[in-house]
Amino acid sequence: MTAVRIGVIGAGAVGQTVATCLTAAGWCSHLYIASRTEESAAALVADLEDMQQVTGARTRAHVADPADMGHCDAIVVCPRATFTNTARTDVRMAGLAANAPVIAALGRALGGYAGALVVVTNPVDVMAQLLAVASGSRRVYGVGSNTDTARYRLLLADHLHVPVDYVQGHVIGEHGDAAVICASATRVADLPATIPVQHIRQALADRPRRINAGTGRARSGPAGAVLAALRHTLGLDDGVIELSVNHEGTWCGIPLHFTAGTPSVCLPDLTPAETRLLAAARTKIRTAYATVPTHLTRRTPTMTSHATHIAADAHGVTVVSNTRYITDWALRYFGPWWKATPAGTPESGPMVVADIDKDRATEYAQHVADHDHLETVYANARLLYVRDDDGTVTAAQPDDQLAYRADPSGRIHITGSDPVPVALAAARLAREAVRGQLLADGWSILHASAVTRDDHTVLALGDKGAGKTTTALLLAHAGTGWRLLANDRVFVRADNGTVRVLPWPSAAAIGLGLLDALGLYDDVRARVQRGDRLHPTQHQKVTDALLTGSRTPLWNEAGKELKPQFFPDQLAAWLGLDLATEGHAARLLFPRITPAATPALLDEDRPLADTDFFTAGTEDRYPDIFGLAPTSSTNAPVNALGLLAELPRHTLALGYNVTANVETLAQLVDD
């Protein structure tokens, strides 16, 4: 797993220790901290930032709201209500009345969450069940029995004067006074052993009391249990771990064997006496759960729907999701170039519904597998699809674990278990939906980069690798008022004798050498070293090059340069470029970049051609699988082509000298 995002809800003793351990562990890329107050969450984040700076840890900490943690791979739930625990027996169960409303509220906020929820709050077995019911989540785990098992092995090893690694055994049932020591299944050095059950049971009860008397609350042991649970549930470790789950209708601690993140029950053989004790523990937990008020146990089937409306010219689409991360992604992706705004969930109109729903994704993928299907490449990934008799298209991209269903009304459903590929797919298909509307309204897509100043747009055209993006970036970075309108494609339409130009929102690929030549490399590298992330389509080799400081261009096996991939908003925030949202075509440039060239105009006339436009027949990345393109063609390319052909156009040579290139371009476009 290249990037692991963990949410921690609760900034008390356990939450602080969990966050500290995750920061030090090195395998968690981002921590999202929520607490009772924003001040306490911000304080913990600041403390973790200090630790990160001192130790060089790469984990980045952020303040977050529980409802916005849908993009996290797992969430640790460890809040504690404010109450005084005066109980001398059943100490953990004493927190039931106080903690239940807190956990139920979190369950409603996390409704439909697809990742792993790891519960620490006591009574942990009851709270795990309450969180599962209130949220509807299928992956809820309590960590109490794992801590009990660790203590059991330590105490038994000390009693027998053997290394703790020699002891294999479990404590199951309740995390509390009804815990069951599996003495009959315990092995010491792979041999049966006589277990002093009463002595060990008393020591197990005394140990947390001694810790609490000295430090106020156990924190390191539970934090260790949390980290072990996270590594197993995320598929980072395989093996057996004791966790509280729904087993035969009751939530209690049992051993689970995890393989690649998938658990299976591996309950040891029990004696009749141990079986009775486990039954008594299960009865106790069920009875305790029955005391939780009914209104707290009401199921919330899905997270609150979030929506972002995207508009270009007079057309638009709404992205709707049960995970705010996905709609925020659309807001970020389209906002700088098109109009993107938060919105209420629409009742009608073009819509992309993108949910984190592993079961739905499996259902769609199975539908494709069960029928004769076609195969194509969509967005550089293999896509399998089936078109039903009523026009419904169901598709699956196995490599990205994505599935789609587009119904004849134009509504598209996207499902998956990882928020990042779902967010990518949602943005891509939202753009395709708007593209279809623009094409039907007379717009065309031109293979060009563009910059705009005072509504005058300069278009840079040419084949792949000719230097279109470089030309636009040089002008936009020169500080002479030119704003970047697009880096690879634009929409154009003839309009009252002129050609209007709209941007095509996309990630911008900028080579390492160009970043270095523009003086931008060091700042980009510093941001990446601090943990800031570029667009996820970026190749890992590029990230590694930035981390190590390499400026040497990288190439894949097909000879294509591998480049840093920037979100649209990063072009402004990281590179200092101003972005434009519209313009009118005023000039055409046909650049040709070669390393040793001296920048100059060439005595060549490279006319605009039909091949400079993208059509259904030439689209190489986004074939119209989902029926979003207009069914009939228009004269849009012909009309725009005629007007563009009348504009001043220049073929020019550019080299690797940025200053000389900029001077030549500035003289040309200012003429």
Side-chain angles (χ1 to χ4, degrees):
M1 189 176 296
T2 57
V4 179
R5 303 166 297 272
I6 305 295
V8 178
I9 302 176
V14 174
Q16 293 173 26
T17 310
V18 167
T20 301
C21 291
L22 285 169
T23 300
W27 49 266
C28 173
S29 61
H30 288 268
L31 274 174
Y32 298 86
I33 308 296
S35 186
R36 184 182 298 111
T37 66
E38 187 172 339
E39 289 77 12
S40 60
L44 178 53
V45 167
D47 199 22
L48 293 169
E49 288 174 339
D50 292 345
M51 176 185 177
Q52 178 206 15
Q53 181 63 29
V54 172
T55 64
R58 291 188 178 180
T59 303
R60 299 294 306 278
H62 316 267
V63 176
D65 185 89
D68 297 334
M69 291 184 177
H71 66 294
C72 291
D73 300 288
I75 300 174
V76 180
V77 179
C78 53
R80 182 181 185 274
T82 301
F83 73 100
T84 301
N85 192 340
T86 59
R88 294 186 175 275
T89 60
D90 253 356
V91 174
R92 299 181 183 92
M93 194 64 75
L96 174 58
N99 287 329
V102 176
I103 297 302
L106 285 175
R108 289 189 288 273
L110 296 168
Y113 174 68
L117 291 168
V118 177
V119 183
V120 187
T121 304
N122 278 320
V124 65
D125 306 292
V126 180
M127 294 299 102
Q129 180 176 2
L130 178 57
L131 185 67
V133 170
S135 68
S137 175
R138 299 178 178 87
R139 299 178 61 200
V140 179
Y141 305 92
V143 298
S145 293
N146 186 250
T147 305
D148 292 338
T149 296
R151 290 170 174 168
Y152 170 54
R153 292 171 180 171
L154 280 167
L155 292 168
L156 184 57
D158 182 67
H159 177 78
L160 298 175
H161 305 292
V162 299
V164 69
D165 291 346
Y166 281 27
V167 178
Q168 296 94 38
H170 305 283
V171 177
I172 62 175
E174 184 206 16
H175 178 52
D177 292 0
V180 179
I181 297 172
C182 300
S184 63
T186 299
R187 296 291 182 270
V188 178
D190 292 328
L191 297 173
T194 300
I195 310 299
V197 175
Q198 293 305 318
H199 171 76
I200 295 297
R201 184 182 298 281
Q202 186 61 49
L204 281 173
D206 291 342
R207 190 175 184 89
R209 296 192 189 105
R210 180 157 49 90
I211 293 172
N212 293 346
T215 66
R217 189 178 179 191
R219 60 197 76 196
S220 298
V226 167
L227 262 68
L230 289 172
R231 291 192 62 86
H232 283 76
T233 58
L234 293 173
L236 301 176
D237 289 341
D238 290 344
V240 176
I241 182 172
E242 300 78 15
L243 295 173
S244 184
V245 295
N246 185 359
H247 179 57
E248 297 178 351
T250 302
W251 286 76
C252 61
I254 56 173
L256 300 173
H257 188 281
F258 280 86
T259 303
T262 300
S264 58
V265 174
C266 55
L267 197 65
D269 293 333
L270 303 176
T271 65
E274 292 167 345
T275 300
R276 288 193 295 273
L277 289 173
L278 180 58
R282 291 161 59 90
T283 298
K284 179 183 176 183
I285 293 168
R286 287 197 301 270
T287 301
Y289 183 78
T291 68
V292 177
T294 303
H295 73 276
L296 296 182
T297 62
R298 188 176 296 119
R299 178 182 293 275
T300 302
T302 59
M303 296 181 75
T304 302
S305 283
H306 307 280
T308 292
H309 184 68
I310 301 152
D313 198 36
H315 306 286
V317 66
T318 303
V319 175
V320 181
S321 179
N322 63 5
T323 303
R324 183 169 173 178
Y325 174 83
I326 293 169
T327 55
D328 281 353
W329 183 294
L331 194 66
R332 175 187 188 187
Y333 198 83
F334 293 101
W337 270 319
W338 287 354
K339 183 179 180 181
T341 55
T345 303
E347 297 296 330
S348 61
M351 193 183 311
V352 174
V353 181
D355 286 337
I356 303 301
D357 189 336
K358 186 176 181 179
D359 291 342
R360 182 71 61 84
T362 301
E363 174 192 337
Y364 289 174
Q366 191 61 50
H367 179 81
V368 175
D370 290 343
H371 295 79
D372 292 336
H373 53 261
L374 301 173
E375 180 173 337
T376 189
V377 175
Y378 188 87
N380 297 321
R382 184 169 63 104
L383 182 140
L384 314 176
Y385 65 99
V386 172
R387 192 179 306 276
D388 295 338
D389 293 340
D390 66 354
T392 299
V393 176
T394 306
Q397 287 184 299
D399 294 343
D400 292 331
Q401 296 182 329
L402 287 173
Y404 309 80
R405 178 159 287 169
D407 60 43
S409 71
R411 182 170 297 190
I412 301 174
H413 293 259
I414 306 170
T415 61
S417 56
D418 186 336
V420 173
V422 174
L424 277 167
R428 183 165 55 239
L429 282 173
R431 185 179 59 198
E432 290 300 289
V434 175
R435 173 170 82 154
Q437 297 170 53
L438 289 170
L439 293 178
D441 195 25
W443 292 84
S444 305
I445 302 173
L446 187 64
H447 192 189
S449 298
V451 290
T452 295
R453 185 175 68 185
D454 299 328
D455 200 41
H456 289 74
T457 299
V458 173
L459 297 166
L461 301 99
D463 297 331
K464 291 181 179 180
K468 300 183 298 297
T469 299
T470 298
T471 299
L473 288 173
L474 289 174
L475 285 169
H477 185 259
T480 54
W482 291 98
R483 295 180 295 154
L484 185 66
L485 182 64
N487 67 289
D488 183 65
R489 302 182 183 203
V490 293
F491 288 95
V492 293
R493 186 177 73 175
D495 187 14
N496 294 325
T498 65
V499 176
R500 288 180 62 196
V501 186
L502 293 177
W504 167 279
S506 68
I510 305 175
L512 294 170
L514 181 57
L515 285 176
D516 190 28
L518 293 173
L520 299 170
Y521 180 94
D522 289 334
D523 183 58
V524 172
R525 182 193 178 203
R527 289 175 180 271
V528 173
Q529 286 180 317
R530 289 199 303 267
D532 292 340
R533 298 176 64 192
L534 289 161
H535 197 272
T537 56
Q538 176 174 288
H539 198 285
Q540 184 61 40
K541 288 182 178 179
V542 177
T543 305
D544 294 341
L546 288 168
L547 290 171
T548 60
S550 173
R551 290 163 164 80
T552 304
L554 301 169
W555 309 87
N556 64 15
E557 295 80 1
K560 180 181 178 182
E561 185 176 1
L562 302 174
K563 302 177 181 180
Q565 302 277 337
F566 293 87
F567 282 96
D569 66 313
Q570 289 173 333
L571 296 173
W574 290 32
L575 307 184
L577 303 177
D578 291 329
L579 304 184
T581 58
E582 186 174 351
H584 286 80
R587 189 182 300 268
L588 309 181
L589 301 181
F590 296 92
R592 185 186 307 156
I593 294 181
T594 53
T598 299
L601 284 175
L602 300 177
D603 188 18
E604 299 177 12
D605 183 18
R606 195 297 207 172
L608 196 65
D610 291 339
T611 54
D612 290 308
F613 289 86
F614 285 100
T615 65
T618 60
E619 174 58 71
D620 57 351
R621 286 187 284 181
Y622 312 108
D624 187 32
I625 300 302
F626 302 104
L628 298 174
T631 55
S632 59
S633 61
T634 70
N635 292 324
V638 175
N639 295 337
L641 178 60
L643 290 172
L644 290 170
E646 297 175 1
L647 297 176
R649 59 179 182 268
H650 313 277
T651 303
L652 65 157
L654 298 175
Y656 279 10
N657 186 317
V658 168
T659 302
N661 286 341
V662 171
E663 289 177 354
T664 299
L665 287 169
Q667 291 174 3
L668 185 61
V669 297
D670 291 340
D671 183 10

